[in-house]
Every structure is written in C-alpha cells, then in structure tokens.
Amino acid sequence: MPGRDPGKPNSAQWVDELPPELEPYLQTPPVTGLTDEQASERLERFGRNELKQKKRNKILHFLSFFTGAIAYLMEISVILTAVTADWIDFAIILGLLIVNALIGFIEESRADSAVAALQSSLALRTRCKRAGQLREMPSGDIAVGDILVLRLGDIVPADARLLDMDVLGGKPQADFLVDQSSLTGESLLVKKRAGDLVYSSCIVKQGQQLAVVARTGPDTFIGRAASLIGATTDAGHFQKVINYIGNFLILLSILLVAVLFAYDLIELKIRTGTVTGDNVLETLKEMVVLTIAAIPVGLPTVMSVTMAVGAKQLAKRQVIIKRLTAVEELSSVSILCTDKTGTLTLNELTLDEPYLPSHYTKDDILLYAHLACETTAQDPIELAVRDAAEKYHPQITPQEVHGYTVQTFTPFNPTDKMARATVLELGTQKTFQAAKGAPQVIIGLCGGHAEAEHVVEDMASRGLRCLGVARTVNDNEWQLVGLLTFLDPPRPDSAATLNECANNGIAVKMITGDQAAIASEVAGRLGMGQMILDADYIANPARSEDEVVEDCLRADGFARVIPEHKYRVVELLQSRGYFVAMTGDGVNDAAALKKANVGIAVHGSTDAARSASDIVLLTPGLAPIIDGIKTSRVIFQRLRSYALYRITSTIHFLLFFFVVTLAEDWQMPPIFLILISVLNDAATLVMAVDNVKPSPSPDMWRLRLLIVLSCVLAAVLSLISFGHFYILRDVIKVSAGQLNTLMYLHISSAPHFVIFSTRVETFCWQSIPSWPFTLVVLGTQVVALVLSVYGMFGYQSNIESIGWPLGLVVVAISLATFLLIDVIKVVTIRLWDRYTQHRRLAPAAIKKQQKMTRATLFQQKQESRSGYDRAQRRESVSSVVSF
C-alpha cells in the first residue's frame, strides 16, 4: 500500500517512491510558492492536472450495434429485398435490425465513462501559494511544485509530499490523518508524517499542513488506475458466442443457397436455352426469401429481449444491470474476487473481544478507557472506544460519565505513547488515575504481566490492534485492567453469502489493501481458507507466470495490493479460461472491475467503481449477488434453449430444401416461407418468461456439443420431412396445391414443437413449461393449422385447402416427432458426455501427478483449498474454455 503507517506492527509495506529526476521540481520555497511563469512552464511540461476523457460519439455508438456477422447478412438481405421489391420482408428485417440495436443502445447508454467519474472525484478547487499569495484556484490549474494548503475536510487535488509545517510556517500541532480507503482499500485512517505522499482524491480527516505537488493528472495514483481502465477493451464473451453461432449458420446458409441459385439458373439455361435479366432477378427473389426464412434474423433480438427481462427481474432485487450481456456472463462465473473493506467488512473500526484479568469486567475496561479518552479527537481508535462505551456502558452518555468527573487530562503523545486522566469518583470522593495506550507501555507501567504480553504477541500475529488500559489502586499503584482489541468486523451476512457461493460452485478470493495478517483473520472469521498471498509475490519477476497462476488459484486471498495488483490477479485467473467476477467499491477497484468478466460495484461505491462495473448493488453486502447468480443461470438456460432450437430448425430447413430442390425440383410458395419466419420467430420471444431451474454450478456454452446435437436433431427432422413429402406425393397422391399446404404445416409445426424439448438437457417432462410460453407456441400452430385447412382462403392458386382431418393428422405426427426428438437428444448428450469424459481421464491423471510432484509453499496447506479443488473439478469437466 502506498504510504506508511508507523503504528502498525509488521509494517513491511510497499513505499511509493518518486523518481530522482523529479526532485529539482519539488524544491519550491514554502512561503512564496511558484511564480506564475514557473507554473505556466511546468503546466506545459507536465500537462494540466486532469484526466483526459475519450468521449464516445453517440451516433457512432448506435451504429456499432449494426455490426456483426448476423447483422451484416440481415443488411444485405434488406438491400436485396429492396432490389427485388419484396417490401414485406424488407420491413420485417429492417424492423428487427432497428429493434435489436435500440435495445442494446438504450441499455448501454445508462453507463457514463469510468474516466469521467474518476475526474469528478477530484477536488474542483483548491488553495495553494502562488507568487507569495494564498490563492484559491481550480484544481486543474495546479502544477508540479505548487505549495498546497491542506486542511480538515479538504479533498487532496494531486499527489503531494507533506512539508511538516502549518500554514504559518510553524510545526503542526496535530497528527495529519487522511482517509484513503476508496483509493487503496485500507480500512483505517492513515497517519502521514513529514515526507510522506498524500494522494489525489483522499480526504483530510485531521490536521493541517503544507504540501508540495509531486504528480498531477494521469501521473497520479488515481491517474494510473484510469489508464488501466482504458486498457481493458476485450470483446465480451457473449458477443463471441453469438458470432460463433451466427457465423456457422450464415456460412451454411450462404453455401447451400448459392448452390441452389446456380442450380436454378443452369437448369433454366438447359431447359430454355437462354437466361434473361428478369430470370436472374426472379430466381434471386426466391433465394432471398429462402435465405430470410433460414437465417436466424431474430437471434440477436430474442436473446436481447431475454436478457432485458432478466435485468428487469434483478432490478426488483436491487441489482442494477448496466451492461446487458453481463446477465448471461454472470451465469458462467466460477471465481469471485471480492474486495474486503466495505464489502466483506463494515469498514468501521470496532471493539473486538477484550482480554481481561480475572477481577475486571467488560464494563470496567470500557469505563476506564473512556475516562482516558480525548473527547474531541477524531482518531479512529478514540472514536471506536467512545462509541462502544456510550453504546454498551449504562453510566456513559455522549455528554458525561455518571458518577465520575475528569479533573486533569494528558492527551496521547508519541513520547509517552499513552493518554492519562485524573478522575474523581463522586460517590466516594476518591481520586484515581486511568491510562490507555500502547500495550507494551501500559504493561510496563503495571510492572509486567506475562499472560498479557503473550496475548499482545498473539494479537499482533493475527493483525489485530491492541490498546492497553490501566488504573491506579492503593496509593497510585498501577493495575492492568485489560487489553482492548480492534477490528473492522465482517458484515453479518457475509459468511452466509460466501457459503451460498460455495454451494453454487463459486470459489471466493478476498483482495485487500490491508496486511496479510488482518486478511487472514477476517477470512478465518468468515469461514474461508486462510491462505493469503502477499502482493509482492504476485509481481515477483523470479517466478514464472505459470507458477504464479497456480498459486493464485490455490490462494484464498491477496493482501497489500494496489490497483495494478488487483488487475493482475484478474488477468492471471482469466488466462486459464476461468470466468472471474470482481466486486469493489473504491477507485482502487475500478481497473479490476473493468477487466473482470463481470464487474460488480457494491452498495456505497464511488462513481468510478460504479461506472467501471457491469452490475451495481443497491443494498449493502454481497447477498444480492446470490440472487443475481441464480437469475443469470435461469436466463442462461433460456438462451441456450433458444440457441439449440434455432440452430436445429435452421439446419433442418436448409438441408430439406436443398435436397428436395436438387432431387425433385420442388419449391414451396414464398408466402409460406414468410409465414414460417414471422410466426415461429415471433413466438420464441416468450422464451424470456419460460419456467427454468437454475443450475447448481456455473454454466458454460458447450458450443461443440451444441452444434453436434443440432446437426443430429436436424438430420432426424429432415428424414421425417422427406418421409412426409414422398408419402403425401407418391402414396396418398395429393394434388400439387395440397402438397404445398401440407408441407408448410409440417415444416411449421414439427421443428417448432421441438422447442419443448430443447428447453432442458434432460427429458422434457422433468420440467414443465410456463403457461404463457405453452399458449403462444401452440397458438402459432393453431394459426398455421387454420390457414392450411382453408388453403390461405384462396390467396394463391397453387395453395389448396387440406381439410381438418388431414391437418390434425399432420399436427399429431409433429407432436409425436417432438417426443422422438426428445429421446434422441438425451441419448446424444449422454454419449457426448461419456466420450469427452473418457478423453480427459488420461491427461487429467498426468496433470494431477505433475501437480503432486511440485514442492511449493502452498502444498503444505492443501487441505484448506476446498474452493480451488472445486474450480479444478470444473476445469476437468470442460467448463473452462468454451470455444
């Protein structure tokens, strides 16, 4: 952590050093400050004290939603339908394009730039000495070498070095304390001494001093965090999934339609001896209609609507989704990196269980500690003692201590390391002294206490702060009252939430700016493992990246981290294919929040954290994350269900029409192709409200299985479609017009009923669909049945009515087909799982043996790594790299 805190035990901390070449610019006379000419020259050299923003053009941002494989094919289709004057399809496709772009644009436009939020957290105006005068000026105008005047309540406008003098040039009368919890994650106020750096956006909580500006703008600690945020521009996982599915279907569609287009023109040339421009245009129109019916034009829209419904459900639970695709990506998270201060803990120093000799009680130690308190001090330890005493001791109120009067008081000073008070007990009219201070000093004052000394050592090893309390008895004989211990306590719901995460297959890792001992203590109280890595280990150049990654996976947490370390931890875990969620509330978390697959800003977070995140929690603690995870897994099931259905129906459609056109020269009337596209795609929108059970473990897109299963189901559907065609034409010998109508009804209903099977990976009857979903899907087929029975009411001469008996038989066969498909689906998935598991057994055994032979620090504590073991098991069943 930047800065130094001499009051902490074992304070071997990272120190933020300024480069030697900067020193000449920091030798400004404190009384006069820089001249205006010097300030102008340095502003020219180092730049203004502001973070530059890259403003996104809203028009270009909206147009970006018209990019991607499926979008490009839809745009080409729009152009072709306009050329062929097919205005119905033109309107349908253009409408879908615009609706999908609007959904994405509206959702993403809610988030402001993270860098803009970082800039807004800086002080707007500040006081500095310039040309011998004390001036108030915009913080953007200060330069390296300017002399700042920092007082209680000020927001530090730039990184500056303290000069150990007050405004008048004298020695400061009080300690200089700053709150930098939102920047570094330290849960306590930090005491700064002469020569220490104070950081931009930190708040002065006590004291006043002059400081010389050392770094401005992007060179500040907060500026480096901003540069990391700007560096995280990876494409989202969900977009990659959509492109994978879309590219596969588009390539298949274009290939088969191109073959049919060439075939029709060649056949026309052979039959008539000539091919005119009108012939090409007419054939092109038929191919455009076929392509529109085949390609998944509704895929982006259906998935966006499904995620938008999930985002609305989460909003009711006080979980705000800023980036729509984060709804899906949260379902795949297998590692949750969580900030400690303010997230797992309350970010307020409180009294822990005290150590008491046998003849003193909790009330006693609270009473004597409060009597030795400075009533106006804002030191966090003083505040914690006063708050606890006023809350739990019946005689103590904010105004007085009933029955006691403090006659004299000597405040804490660095020489004596204790505070003392002479107290009059009103009931007996006797006086005594009370003291509190450094435990070693208080124990020495009392003539030593072996057990208490052992307790102090134990507390120090656990990262707990101690405060000794004593009083005089029998003519000024000092007696130890006890030891107060302090801790930033865990939130009441944190332990239950972490346990729920474990039950849902998510390994949790704590990331904090505090000492490793403190992190280990908090982890133990939360029921986590206590294997904490120090930040220096993460950035150790002597270790290979593979070794660091392995140890990061085993670790339960990371201590003494700065923004670069948090970013690095997320990056290392992602390098192994894990989906990582990161929670945080401060500026120091912003870069890691942006880098993570899912960044979660917790309740009370800074503007920077909220803007860099994908999800914002409006209630305290991590409990809302569990609701988010369960809801996201429900959404994932719906998205996967739709993807399987859409890929299956597309392959079936293309395969059947490709073969039947080449083999039998048969084509369906274009109006039927349009009806299939409009009715069936519109019905799938209700998948967003279907009943689904969330998975007990992280979900991943098994895209290879998805494609293979779709091809198997599509092949079975195609065989059934060919059976319909030949039986109707050659056995029953229906007319050409009736054949067109019957095949439309079959191709509309048989693949569409398959959606009841693709909902789950098990047998369909093990999960009952919601009634709106069932009603809409069946309703579309009732419409198709009525249109078929009455032959489109004489719309075209090549379309004839088929009557109710024949229509009902076709629908019944489609329902039976759906049941057959369901059985084939379950068998295919089980065979796939058995085959892939068998392939991984041997490599997994070798990998396990290699890990067992590695002698590392962490193997000695392997029993505490249940979270890591769960993650490894997920890796072994191919839930990591999904495509």
Side-chain angles (χ1 to χ4, degrees):
M1 292 177 293
R4 299 189 298 272
D5 187 355
K8 283 189 178 182
N10 304 322
S11 58
Q13 301 183 28
W14 173 79
V15 179
D16 191 3
E17 299 286 357
L18 296 175
E21 58 269 19
L22 196 60
E23 288 297 331
Y25 294 94
L26 307 183
Q27 307 306 314
T28 307
V31 177
T32 59
L34 296 177
T35 64
D36 290 330
E37 292 75 15
Q38 287 176 315
S40 298
E41 186 272 330
R42 295 184 185 195
L43 284 171
E44 183 71 24
R45 178 180 178 82
F46 295 102
R48 287 178 55 80
N49 182 39
E50 57 188 14
L51 303 178
K52 295 182 180 179
Q53 303 181 52
K54 292 183 179 179
K55 294 186 178 180
R56 184 164 53 183
N57 186 293
K58 291 187 176 181
I59 296 177
L60 294 179
H61 181 49
F62 177 69
L63 293 177
S64 70
F65 290 94
F66 292 90
T67 60
I70 295 177
Y72 292 146
L73 188 56
M74 293 173 70
E75 289 154 13
I76 293 173
S77 299
V78 167
I79 296 172
L80 291 177
T81 50
V83 170
T84 58
D86 186 1
W87 301 116
I88 295 177
D89 281 339
F90 173 86
I92 292 172
I93 300 173
L94 184 61
L96 286 173
L97 263 173
I98 295 174
V99 167
N100 185 60
L102 282 173
I103 291 173
F105 178 74
I106 290 171
E107 290 295 331
E108 290 195 13
S109 63
R110 294 177 181 176
D112 296 325
S113 167
V115 177
L118 284 169
Q119 185 176 15
S120 70
S121 70
L122 292 172
L124 298 179
R125 299 187 69 82
T126 189
R127 291 180 296 274
C128 77
K129 290 191 174 182
R130 183 76 66 81
Q133 297 178 341
L134 182 62
R135 297 181 185 177
E136 184 173 325
M137 62 178 62
S139 61
D141 291 342
I142 63 175
V144 173
D146 261 324
I147 302 297
L148 299 178
V149 178
L150 301 177
R151 295 173 177 168
L152 176 65
D154 285 350
I155 299 176
V156 181
D159 291 358
R161 178 189 285 170
L162 294 179
L163 298 177
D164 197 31
M165 61 177 64
D166 62 17
V167 179
L168 300 177
K171 194 76 173 175
Q173 297 300 308
D175 290 334
F176 194 79
L177 301 178
V178 297
D179 177 5
Q180 57 185 39
S181 61
S182 67
L183 188 64
T184 65
E186 291 175 291
S187 56
L188 304 176
L189 298 184
V190 179
K191 182 187 297 183
K192 298 288 187 177
R193 292 185 174 179
D196 284 349
L197 286 175
V198 288
Y199 293 93
S200 173
S201 83
C202 293
I203 303 172
V204 179
K205 289 295 187 179
Q206 180 176 300
Q208 62 170 333
Q209 280 202 40
L210 297 181
V212 58
V213 175
R215 294 185 297 225
T216 59
D219 297 322
T220 61
F221 193 74
I222 194 175
R224 294 200 298 268
S227 67
L228 287 176
I229 293 173
T232 54
T233 56
D234 293 342
H237 163 258
F238 186 68
Q239 188 58 48
K240 295 177 182 177
V241 172
I242 292 293
N243 288 340
Y244 183 98
I245 297 173
N247 290 338
F248 172 77
L249 295 180
I250 289 167
L251 288 174
L252 183 63
S253 301
I254 292 176
L255 176 64
L256 297 185
V257 170
V259 171
L260 289 179
F261 180 69
Y263 171 80
D264 282 353
L265 293 180
I266 292 172
E267 184 190 38
L268 185 65
K269 175 71 174 178
I270 294 173
R271 191 172 66 248
T272 63
T274 182
V275 176
T276 65
D278 290 338
N279 295 141
V280 173
L281 196 61
E282 185 63 28
T283 304
L284 180 62
K285 184 176 181 179
E286 294 174 359
M287 293 303 105
V288 169
V289 173
L290 182 61
T291 303
I292 292 169
I295 63 173
V297 292
L299 179 65
T301 304
V302 171
M303 291 196 164
S304 294
V305 169
T306 301
M307 289 186 290
V309 170
K312 187 176 181 180
Q313 292 171 351
L314 288 174
K316 294 178 181 177
R317 295 178 171 88
Q318 303 297 295
V319 179
I320 304 302
I321 303 296
K322 290 180 52 195
R323 179 171 59 86
L324 198 58
T325 55
V327 176
E328 179 271 339
E329 292 174 7
L330 184 59
S331 67
S332 300
V333 167
S334 56
I335 296 178
L336 173 63
C337 294
T338 174
D339 185 47
K340 177 184 73 70
T341 305
T343 304
L344 294 176
T345 65
L346 294 173
N347 193 22
E348 54 186 47
L349 193 66
T350 59
L351 290 182
D352 198 34
E353 195 67 25
Y355 163 75
L356 297 167
S358 58
H359 52 287
Y360 283 108
T361 66
K362 276 189 180 181
D363 281 349
D364 291 333
I365 196 169
L366 286 175
L367 172 64
Y368 299 127
H370 187 277
L371 290 171
C373 273
E374 186 176 357
T375 56
T376 59
Q378 297 300 306
D379 180 89
I381 293 180
E382 296 282 287
L383 288 171
V385 171
R386 295 203 307 264
D387 290 345
E390 292 165 5
K391 183 176 181 181
Y392 297 112
H393 200 290
Q395 294 177 254
I396 301 176
T397 68
Q399 292 76 30
E400 62 178 330
V401 180
H402 296 292
Y404 297 88
T405 298
V406 176
Q407 295 179 326
T408 63
F409 179 78
T410 304
F412 179 91
N413 63 81
T415 303
D416 296 334
K417 295 186 178 179
M418 65 177 174
R420 302 170 72 166
T422 301
V423 183
L424 172 64
E425 187 175 2
L426 300 179
T428 63
Q429 290 297 307
K430 292 182 179 180
T431 61
F432 64 91
Q433 293 188 69
K436 73 175 188 339
Q440 295 86 350
V441 173
I442 296 297
I443 292 172
L445 187 66
C446 298
H449 195 293
E451 185 178 0
E453 291 174 355
H454 176 73
V455 170
V456 171
E457 293 176 0
D458 177 63
M459 294 298 178
S461 68
R462 294 164 54 192
L464 297 177
R465 289 192 172 195
C466 281
L467 191 69
V469 179
R471 62 156 293 172
T472 57
V473 294
N474 301 329
D475 298 325
N476 294 327
E477 178 188 345
W478 286 98
Q479 191 173 81
L480 182 67
V481 177
L483 300 173
L484 292 173
T485 56
F486 300 86
L487 181 73
D488 179 12
R491 289 185 176 276
D493 61 342
S494 290
T497 302
L498 295 178
N499 184 60
E500 191 73 13
C501 285
N503 293 336
N504 282 275
I506 298 176
V508 180
K509 299 182 185 296
M510 177 194 301
I511 301 184
T512 178
D514 273 327
Q515 295 290 319
I518 298 175
S520 180
E521 178 70 18
V522 173
R525 296 187 182 216
L526 290 171
M528 300 173 62
Q530 294 175 276
M531 191 179 296
I532 306 298
L533 274 184
D534 192 88
D536 294 336
Y537 186 88
I538 301 170
N540 186 354
R543 298 184 66 85
S544 68
E545 181 166 311
D546 286 340
E547 290 176 321
V548 176
V549 172
E550 289 294 324
D551 293 335
C552 284
L553 285 170
R554 291 185 176 88
D556 297 297
F558 307 87
R560 296 201 311 114
V561 298
I562 58 175
E564 288 89 341
H565 294 145
K566 294 187 178 188
Y567 184 94
R568 180 63 173 157
V569 167
V570 173
E571 186 177 48
L572 288 171
L573 294 174
Q574 288 176 329
S575 69
R576 287 294 181 89
Y578 289 95
F579 264 64
V580 181
M582 172 73 190
T583 72
D585 61 354
V587 178
N588 61 312
D589 302 315
L593 289 171
K594 190 73 174 178
K595 176 62 176 175
N597 298 96
V598 180
I600 304 171
V602 298
H603 177 258
S605 56
T606 62
D607 288 343
R610 286 194 296 269
S611 296
S613 64
D614 306 304
I615 297 174
V616 178
L617 306 184
L618 300 184
T619 54
L622 293 179
I625 292 180
I626 300 300
D627 287 335
I629 289 170
K630 291 180 178 178
T631 301
S632 69
R633 291 181 182 178
V634 166
I635 299 303
F636 180 91
Q637 301 289 343
R638 293 170 180 164
L639 295 175
R640 182 170 59 187
S641 170
Y642 174 74
L644 178 58
Y645 156 74
R646 200 63 188 86
I647 298 172
T648 298
S649 59
T650 298
I651 296 175
H652 159 253
F653 191 92
L654 289 170
L655 186 61
F656 173 74
F657 280 101
F658 178 76
V659 174
V660 80
T661 301
L662 293 181
E664 302 295 341
D665 197 22
W666 179 84
Q667 294 179 345
M668 182 175 285
I671 185 61
F672 280 151
L673 296 177
I674 295 171
L675 281 173
I676 290 172
S677 177
V678 174
L679 282 178
N680 292 11
D681 271 353
T684 56
L685 288 172
V686 295
M687 292 189 74
V689 295
D690 187 24
N691 290 334
V692 177
K693 292 182 180 179
S695 168
S697 59
D699 289 306
M700 298 298 290
W701 286 93
R702 299 198 288 175
L703 293 179
R704 293 176 182 172
L705 170 62
L706 188 67
I707 298 300
V708 170
L709 182 59
S710 299
C711 290
V712 171
L713 301 185
V716 175
L717 281 172
S718 297
L719 289 175
I720 295 173
S721 296
F722 288 125
H724 266 74
F725 180 83
Y726 287 112
I727 289 174
L728 290 171
R729 190 191 67 173
D730 301 334
V731 178
I732 301 179
K733 296 185 178 179
V734 297
S735 65
Q738 287 181 323
L739 180 62
N740 290 337
T741 307
L742 286 164
M743 288 308 299
Y744 157 69
L745 181 59
H746 162 72
I747 291 174
S748 174
S749 60
H752 203 51
F753 287 148
V754 170
I755 202 171
F756 289 116
S757 175
T758 62
R759 294 175 57 254
V760 290
E761 290 191 349
T762 56
F763 291 108
C764 62
W765 54 82
Q766 294 181 353
S767 176
I768 305 301
S770 66
W771 69 264
F773 175 78
T774 305
L775 188 64
V776 171
V777 171
L778 295 180
T780 58
Q781 298 316 304
V782 169
V783 172
L785 176 61
V786 170
L787 292 176
S788 300
V789 166
Y790 294 102
M792 291 288 293
F793 303 99
Y795 178 76
Q796 287 183 2
S797 59
N798 59 344
I799 299 174
E800 299 178 11
S801 61
I802 59 174
W804 283 103
L806 206 52
L808 291 173
V809 168
V810 172
V811 172
I813 293 174
S814 295
L815 288 170
T817 301
F818 138 65
L819 295 174
L820 173 63
I821 288 291
D822 194 59
V823 174
I824 294 173
K825 173 202 70 179
V826 173
V827 172
T828 303
I829 291 175
R830 290 179 179 176
L831 289 175
W832 176 273
D833 288 342
R834 185 177 301 176
Y835 170 71
T836 53
Q837 185 177 11
H838 175 74
R839 287 187 61 190
R840 290 190 191 93
L841 281 178
I846 294 172
K847 187 176 181 181
K848 183 177 180 181
Q849 183 63 33
Q850 290 174 339
K851 286 180 180 177
M852 290 177 64
T853 57
R854 283 189 60 206
T856 68
L857 168 67
F858 302 101
Q859 286 176 321
Q860 300 171 4
K861 300 182 180 179
Q862 188 70 22
E863 64 274 8
S864 70
R865 289 307 307 125
S866 58
Y868 171 70
D869 293 339
R870 283 193 299 274
Q872 287 298 90
R873 285 199 293 274
R874 288 195 298 279
E875 182 178 11
S876 69
V877 294
S878 156
S879 64
V880 188
V881 181
S882 57
F883 52 92

